[in-house]
Amino acid sequence: MAKTVAEINEKIKAGKAVVVTAEEIIEIAREKGTKKAAQEIDVVTTGTFGPMCSSGAYFNIGHSKPKIKLGGGKTYLNDVPAYAAFAAVDLFLGANALPDDDPRNRNHPGEFNYGGGHVIEELVAGKDIRLIATAYGTDCYPRKRLATWINIKDLNEAVLFNMRNAYQNYNVAINGSNKTIYTYLGILKPNLGNANFCSAGQLSPLLNDPYYKTIGIGTKIFLGGGTGLIAWQGTQHDPAGLRTPSGVPKRGAGTLAVIGDLKQMSPKWLVGTSMLGYGVTLTVGVGIPIPILSEEILQYTTVTDADILAPVIDYSDAYPQRKPDILAEVSYAELKSGQIKIQSKKVPTASLSSYPKAVEIANTLKQWILSGQFLLTEPVAPLPGVESGISFKPLNERPIEE
Amino acid sequence: MIVMATTKRIVLHFPKRLADRAIVYHLVKDFDLQFNILKASITPEEEGLMVLELTGKQADYDKGIQYLTETGVRIQSLGQNVLRNEERCTQCGVCITLCPTGAFELERPARRVVFQDEKCLACGLCIKACPPRAMELHF
């Protein structure tokens, strides 16, 4: 019964493809059995919407008259520094960038009201952005200062390029110390006062294709409200970590580097985000279609929150000190119940990843496919899998003798 | 006849000229109202702000409110002070475990976050804790 991506695309073009979300497939497979479901269903759509720090965008702003070479100089977008270390008018803006005069954590916890993620959101929303640049001047690029408004519609290129998104699974953060801590996983109250998690669980892209059998380099995806591509495995990609007997990673595991045209994205799905006491970031919407090429692939998409386990880690000690200790393993079903039990204490849970928005992304992608406007792609190369030997190594610090 | 007691949470704005007067004392003495101070502050311009929970008979409560108004205190009901910007809220739900009064609740199974402003004490904890900064304080 094996199908091919080309056959599924023919059905999409003919308006005959059967597309369901990774949430809907659970019940369908339960009712029909995986064999029948695999015959009937062509595509399962996934989605996730959460803060993803290793995100950014690059731009080509066009040449001023006379010309300026930003590369090697300093450039700010709404006072947020952009990385100017390329040719004359190419820039990269990271989601975590902060204005030079932001007080950061000098008055702890810092508020981090505005940074790179917010600039990206405003740019995508079509707002004018203030560019201030200084350069050293050359014979071919004589200008030394530039102050101008820029707008996304006038840029030659505006490209979202995130080097690590859509973590396959993630830590649950908790605080074992006796004072409140402020982390990238939110505010953690003392003495195991709360626990925060950050995954769409059963809807999350890579948890529905745990061995990367259909999702690979070159896969076309929903990205920030537009379409994008998987460019590479993400940084810290760690496919060989612990897995359950059915193959579901029990730790962070796989990640994706993604790329797409910022001009067709939407501020609804790229949201500038502030984490108290930590910094700024960008909340990114990612959705990936999974072609149901076999019963085995369908089987993977039926994963439920109860099947997915995540490690509970003390962010007051084990995490910052790089200790391997975990306090417990809990399922997303438990996490989503609103309470987990740690060391016989009932701990309330909350999520940083938005489940309603993940559902909306999976449904949007489903509609795009049903309407024939989004065809599936075959990967041009696979993501490194369990057999690749790739793992997430810690830094081997080698002190420099002065 | 049983007279039903009423309990309401209100925000009082004291202009500078009233900041040093014992106004709450009169609510107790003259109108037999119980009070619970939820928050009190004086701004640098010396305008006073107080969040009060008032309990008493409806008739006494109404008279107390009339007294405050006539004295020159501006009154707002609490629910109007903390607002959610629905456009910015991403429905993540990280506010749920932080709110001391449980004003945020998950609507299951969709997991949408409901903000029940009648439970809100206007403590302001959620304002800076909200990652997309969707919670806004309007005093």
Side-chain angles (χ1 to χ4, degrees):
Chain A
M1 74 121 256
K3 287 180 241 180
T4 65
V5 169
E7 284 164 1
I8 293 174
N9 278 340
E10 285 312 310
K11 289 178 86 173
I12 294 173
K13 285 183 210 161
K16 288 181 180 158
V18 181
V19 186
V20 299
T21 70
E23 189 182 58
E24 293 164 342
I25 190 66
I26 296 167
E27 205 46 50
I28 293 170
R30 215 174 265 155
E31 274 171 26
K32 301 190 171 194
T34 50
K35 193 174 177 196
K36 191 145 182 277
Q39 285 164 351
E40 290 179 15
I41 286 158
D42 300 306
V43 187
V44 170
T45 60
T46 63
T48 185
F49 189 63
M52 304 192 195
C53 284
S54 272
S55 299
Y58 64 82
F59 321 107
N60 179 287
I61 65 162
H63 288 286
S64 58
K65 187 180 176 182
K67 290 183 179 177
I68 185 167
K69 180 187 186 311
L70 302 178
K74 284 195 187 309
T75 303
Y76 294 88
L77 298 170
N78 284 358
D79 296 329
V80 177
Y83 188 65
F86 308 101
V89 288
D90 287 332
L91 293 171
F92 193 96
L93 176 64
N96 285 221
L98 289 168
D100 290 345
D101 61 358
D102 186 283
R104 292 165 165 81
N105 265 337
R106 278 201 287 279
N107 188 4
H108 192 260
E111 294 186 13
F112 302 101
N113 291 314
Y114 195 85
H118 300 86
V119 177
I120 293 171
E121 181 191 328
E122 291 190 359
L123 191 73
V124 174
K127 292 187 185 164
D128 277 345
I129 304 290
R130 201 174 58 250
L131 181 146
I132 307 282
T134 52
Y136 51 85
T138 71
D139 290 340
C140 43
Y141 295 99
R143 193 145 167 195
K144 292 184 178 170
R145 281 173 200 283
L146 179 64
T148 179
W149 293 102
I150 60 168
N151 191 289
I152 191 167
K153 67 181 193 301
D154 304 320
L155 299 176
N156 291 308
E157 286 82 20
V159 181
L160 188 74
F161 183 31
N162 304 342
M163 65 180 94
R164 181 172 68 257
N165 277 182
Y167 237 121
Q168 195 162 15
N169 196 348
Y170 213 78
N171 298 340
V172 179
I174 200 164
N175 175 9
S177 78
N178 57 14
K179 62 178 208 296
T180 299
I181 61 171
Y182 301 85
T183 75
Y184 68 87
L185 281 170
I187 302 170
L188 300 172
K189 296 193 265 190
N191 308 314
L192 315 180
N194 60 332
N196 285 350
F197 63 101
C198 189
S199 170
Q202 63 193 20
L203 255 187
S204 188
L206 292 177
L207 284 170
N208 281 280
D209 185 9
Y211 290 114
Y212 329 121
K213 288 184 185 268
T214 69
I215 298 173
I217 294 165
T219 297
K220 191 165 77 170
I221 62 171
F222 172 109
L223 179 61
T227 58
L229 299 166
I230 294 174
W232 205 251
Q233 69 268 28
T235 53
Q236 298 182 187
H237 184 68
D238 190 19
L242 290 174
R243 288 173 186 256
T244 64
S246 58
V248 184
K250 292 160 73 173
R251 302 288 183 271
T255 68
L256 300 175
V258 298
I259 191 164
D261 180 8
L262 200 60
K263 291 192 181 194
Q264 35 98 26
M265 294 185 195
S266 146
K268 180 178 174 185
W269 300 112
L270 292 172
V271 178
T273 299
S274 304
M275 300 307 299
L276 190 67
Y278 175 74
V280 292
T281 182
L282 186 69
T283 296
V284 182
V286 177
I288 303 183
I290 296 174
I292 302 303
L293 305 177
S294 68
E295 188 182 345
E296 183 197 1
I297 286 165
L298 179 117
Q299 183 74 51
Y300 289 129
T301 66
T302 62
V303 72
T304 68
D305 286 332
D307 307 323
I308 311 167
L309 300 175
V312 180
I313 293 178
D314 183 353
Y315 271 61
S316 72
D317 179 42
Y319 184 85
Q321 300 305 327
R322 212 181 81 193
K323 295 177 183 171
D325 320 1
I326 70 163
L327 289 168
E329 270 179 358
V330 293
S331 75
Y332 282 93
E334 292 170 87
L335 287 164
K336 288 181 180 178
S337 76
Q339 193 174 272
I340 54 174
K341 212 166 192 184
I342 304 293
Q343 295 171 349
S344 75
K345 190 181 170 180
K346 288 176 183 167
V347 180
T349 56
S351 173
L352 272 162
S353 174
S354 170
Y355 195 74
K357 297 285 180 186
V359 171
E360 198 179 333
I361 289 170
N363 276 319
T364 303
L365 188 51
K366 175 177 156 179
Q367 290 311 319
W368 287 356
I369 296 168
L370 287 173
S371 70
Q373 69 182 97
F374 188 107
L375 294 176
L376 308 189
T377 53
E378 250 176 292
V380 291
L383 292 166
V386 176
E387 71 301 333
S388 68
I390 288 181
S391 68
F392 176 25
K393 298 191 293 285
L395 175 68
N396 175 23
E397 243 180 289
R398 293 178 296 133
I400 298 166
E401 309 293 341
E402 295 289 341
Chain B
M1 188 183 86
I2 301 166
V3 179
M4 294 293 286
T6 186
T7 296
K8 283 189 178 143
R9 287 170 177 175
I10 53 173
V11 183
L12 308 182
H13 297 266
F14 297 86
K16 192 175 168 180
R17 67 184 166 84
L18 293 179
D20 57 352
R21 280 179 50 183
I23 287 168
V24 175
Y25 163 79
H26 287 284
L27 293 178
V28 181
K29 184 167 173 287
D30 303 346
F31 307 105
D32 199 21
L33 295 172
Q34 291 178 35
F35 70 91
N36 182 16
I37 299 176
L38 304 174
K39 181 178 179 150
S41 67
I42 293 184
T43 62
E45 297 78 37
E46 290 186 23
E47 197 190 70
L49 181 140
M50 189 180 274
V51 181
L52 273 188
E53 187 176 78
L54 282 180
T55 304
K57 289 179 199 154
Q58 185 66 52
D60 290 338
Y61 176 84
D62 292 343
K63 277 186 226 162
I65 293 294
Q66 193 185 350
Y67 159 75
L68 289 172
T69 311
E70 284 167 2
T71 316
V73 178
R74 189 161 61 83
I75 304 169
Q76 258 181 304
S77 80
L78 195 54
Q80 300 166 356
N81 295 124
V82 176
L83 301 175
R84 182 165 70 176
N85 180 332
E86 299 297 337
E87 229 169 83
R88 278 211 77 74
C89 174
T90 61
Q91 304 285 336
C92 72
V94 82
C95 49
I96 291 169
T97 53
L98 294 174
C99 176
T101 62
F104 299 98
E105 229 172 79
L106 267 191
E107 199 179 76
R108 293 169 202 273
R111 300 188 66 81
R112 292 193 73 79
V113 183
V114 182
F115 174 48
Q116 298 158 295
D117 60 3
E118 70 277 7
K119 287 191 184 173
C120 173
L121 281 185
C123 71
L125 250 179
C126 58
I127 310 282
K128 288 171 188 168
C130 172
R133 295 288 156 82
M135 299 307 296
E136 296 168 359
L137 196 58
H138 296 266
F139 272 126

